């Protein structure tokens, strides 16, 4: 006769592990402890008909990124990591010119807006954000950013489920010295201090 007084135990399914033994959750938890700066990567789609000067310009596209870093001083190179198949990955595969705005602590709303899943069109996302157009890239450079860069893709390196895009910096400006950087730590946007 079965013992009905003993509590039943539910065993959770083990976390999916890679061949190396690290689960996705373990990997995310460990790297969430690494503070990262937050940037907005932007680019402008090529015109719908490049041979027709009257054709409408392509739409502006933006993406929040925390996997962004300096690679080299001579020549000046930076790297951004893009999820394979994302709109920005596909755009930068055909458009070599792009820009980066280093977001300030007061621009958390900008970071959140361009990081949303299932978001509205990029045209609407840029609607009430002040920006200037880059002289080389034509991409939006966000007003109030701590620094802005315009880049030209030098190399694309496949890396697992991401592509590392290495860009030569064409312009680098520090339009605003106000405030501190926006950072990302333990799954949340944060301020230093």
């Amino acid at each position: 006769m079965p013992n009905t007084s003993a509590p039943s135990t539910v065993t959770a399914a083990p976390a999916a592990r890679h061949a190396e033994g690290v689960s996705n959750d373990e990997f995310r938890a460990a790297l969430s402890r690494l503070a990262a700066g937050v940037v907005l990567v932007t680019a402008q789609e090529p015109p719908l008909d490049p041979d027709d000067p009257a054709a409408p310009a392509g739409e502006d596209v933006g993406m929040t990124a925390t996997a962004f870093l300096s690679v080299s001083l001579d020549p000046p190179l930076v790297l951004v990591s893009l999820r394979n198949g994302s709109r920005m990955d596909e755009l930068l595969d055909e458009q070599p010119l792009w820009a980066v705005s280093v977001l300030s602590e007061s621009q958390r709303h900008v970071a959140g807006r361009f990081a949303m899943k299932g978001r509205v069109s990029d045209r609407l996302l840029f609607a009430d954000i002040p920006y200037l157009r880059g002289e080389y890239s034509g991409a939006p450079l966000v007003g109030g950013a701590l620094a802005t860069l315009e880049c030209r893709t030098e190399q694309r390196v496949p890396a697992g489920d991401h592509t590392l895009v290495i860009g030569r910096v064409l312009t680098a400006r520090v339009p605003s010295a106000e405030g501190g950087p926006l950072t990302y730590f333990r799954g949340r946007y944060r301020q230093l201090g």
Side-chain angles (χ1 to χ4, degrees):
M1 186 170 240
N3 180 353
T4 57
S5 61
S8 64
T9 54
V10 177
T11 307
R17 293 193 174 273
H18 299 280
E20 294 78 15
V22 176
S23 74
N24 289 349
D25 291 341
E26 290 166 334
F27 182 70
R28 278 191 199 102
L31 290 198
S32 76
R33 277 31 178 209
L34 176 64
V38 182
V39 301
L40 183 67
V41 179
T42 57
Q44 187 179 48
E45 291 178 324
L48 297 176
D49 184 357
D51 298 328
D52 180 2
E59 189 171 272
D60 292 324
V61 177
M63 179 197 89
T64 302
T66 56
F68 175 79
L69 57 106
S70 167
V71 173
S72 168
L73 184 59
D74 187 16
L77 299 174
V78 293
L79 176 148
V80 65
S81 180
L82 306 175
R83 184 176 38 81
N84 292 341
S86 67
R87 184 166 184 202
M88 188 61 73
D89 177 45
E90 291 173 357
L91 176 56
L92 293 191
D93 193 30
E94 65 178 82
Q95 165 61 283
L97 299 172
W98 45 282
V100 175
S101 298
V102 178
L103 299 181
S104 73
E105 60 194 2
S106 67
Q107 294 178 310
R108 180 184 301 215
H109 66 287
V110 175
R113 180 182 292 191
F114 285 91
M116 288 187 303
K117 292 184 183 187
R119 62 191 198 193
V120 297
S121 81
D122 286 67
R123 181 178 44 79
L124 296 175
L125 295 178
F126 281 106
D128 64 343
I129 294 175
Y131 64 85
L132 301 171
R133 291 217 172 267
E135 62 184 293
Y136 292 99
S137 66
L141 302 170
V142 177
L146 295 178
T148 60
L149 306 163
E150 289 185 275
C151 305
R152 182 184 64 238
T153 299
E154 293 275 308
Q155 189 175 3
R156 291 173 56 88
V157 181
D161 59 2
H162 278 64
T163 298
L164 307 178
V165 179
I166 300 170
R168 180 180 295 254
V169 178
L170 305 173
T171 66
R173 297 203 169 74
V174 183
S176 175
E178 299 299 315
L182 181 62
T183 59
Y184 193 73
F185 180 69
R186 295 185 76 177
R188 293 182 40 215
Y189 296 118
R190 305 193 186 245
Q191 296 171 285
L192 289 182

